[in-house]
Amino acid sequence: METLETEKFFSEEKPLLKPISDHSENRTKARRNAVVSVLLQPFQWLQMLSSRLNLSFVLGVVLVYGLNQGFSGSIFKVVTDYYWKDVQQVQPSVVQLYMGLYYIPWVMRPIWGLFTDVFLIKGYKRKPYFVISGVLGLVSAIAIVVLGKLPAALALSCLIGVSAAMAIADVVIDACIATNSINIRSLAPDIQSLCMVCSSAGALVGYATSGVFVHRLVLWLDMQFNWVNKAFGVE
């Protein structure tokens, strides 16, 4: 009996041990998969918000908080300082006064909110005011860029128009955020996180690139003015 059991023991096939290289490859693959999963988590989170809320709402938050408040807000500060000090050659005390006037549209945020709730445009509350703020900001910014050195009052009106466009868009998206936070309470923290992430990322990119953009814009404007002067024979 012992002989048979011994032969059976040695005759059974035993699993071979995996080489050390296979273990290292598996660990490397596991690490890569972990890194990829971490990198994909923000996109999966955005996909979850888009599916449970609305894709247009998520895009609106990204545009308003990321592009409007974060990126454009940071560039707006740098551009206005350059415009008043170097183009208009205004004294610093006057510049501070003008900068204080930029905040008037932001102080009027309750009024903009009342307008969006009371005065409907073709049955819509939010979307037309998005369009109005975009057109107002675009026209005001183009007027400053194209016309250059305007009278101080007109230039100040254009810059206040840009600030008003930013404030109106902010009020409209905040109303949408409040509505969605009430309707889907479980996603309220995620919505706030999305707002803060977009605002911080946009501000970081804006402050990092504002100097380059202003420099390139100045060079482009100088080239355009020189071309116009040569075309009309003005030295």
Side-chain angles (χ1 to χ4, degrees):
M1 293 294 293
E2 293 180 359
T3 305
L4 294 174
E5 291 179 358
T6 305
E7 291 178 356
K8 184 178 180 182
F9 176 78
F10 285 105
S11 63
E12 290 180 352
E13 294 183 357
K14 296 182 179 180
L16 298 176
L17 295 176
K18 293 183 178 180
I20 298 176
S21 60
D22 293 343
H23 288 289
S24 62
E25 289 179 0
N26 292 335
R27 290 178 181 176
T28 304
K29 291 180 180 179
R31 290 175 183 174
R32 289 178 181 175
N33 294 333
V35 172
V36 171
S37 64
V38 170
L39 294 177
L40 291 178
Q41 280 182 359
F43 300 99
Q44 295 173 354
W45 179 59
L46 290 175
Q47 185 178 4
M48 181 271 295
L49 290 177
S50 301
S51 61
R52 294 194 60 184
L53 294 169
N54 195 349
L55 179 60
S56 60
F57 169 73
V58 175
L59 290 177
V61 172
V62 173
L63 290 176
V64 174
Y65 275 88
L67 184 62
N68 183 49
Q69 287 190 15
F71 184 77
S72 300
S74 58
I75 288 185
F76 181 77
K77 295 178 181 178
V78 177
V79 170
T80 52
D81 287 343
Y82 167 79
Y83 181 76
W84 289 120
K85 294 176 182 178
D86 294 343
V87 178
Q88 293 283 354
Q89 296 180 353
V90 178
Q91 294 298 323
S93 59
V94 181
V95 174
Q96 292 297 321
L97 175 62
Y98 291 163
M99 292 178 64
L101 296 177
Y102 299 157
Y103 290 97
I104 291 178
W106 291 92
V107 176
M108 296 174 61
R109 287 181 61 191
I111 298 178
W112 307 133
L114 183 63
F115 267 90
T116 59
D117 290 332
V118 175
F119 298 100
L120 305 182
I121 299 177
K122 292 185 177 181
Y124 292 99
K125 281 186 176 182
R126 316 297 183 198
K127 294 181 180 179
Y129 289 95
F130 269 123
V131 177
I132 291 172
S133 64
V135 172
L136 177 61
L138 184 63
V139 171
S140 302
I142 289 177
I144 290 289
V145 173
V146 174
L147 300 179
K149 188 174 182 179
L150 297 170
L154 184 58
L156 180 61
S157 300
C158 292
L159 293 175
I160 291 177
V162 174
S163 181
M166 297 170 62
I168 294 172
D170 179 75
V171 167
V172 175
I173 198 63
D174 283 347
C176 297
I177 290 171
T179 302
N180 286 320
S181 298
I182 293 172
N183 294 334
I184 308 177
R185 296 181 181 274
S186 60
L187 292 181
D190 296 285
I191 296 173
Q192 293 300 319
S193 299
L194 178 64
C195 296
M196 294 301 102
V197 168
C198 293
S199 179
S200 301
L204 180 61
V205 175
Y207 281 116
T209 58
S210 57
V212 177
F213 284 148
V214 172
H215 178 68
R216 295 294 181 184
L217 180 61
V218 170
L219 293 178
W220 180 79
L221 290 176
D222 288 339
M223 292 176 60
Q224 298 300 318
F225 290 146
N226 291 333
W227 181 83
V228 172
N229 292 334
K230 290 180 180 179
F232 289 95
V234 179
E235 296 182 357

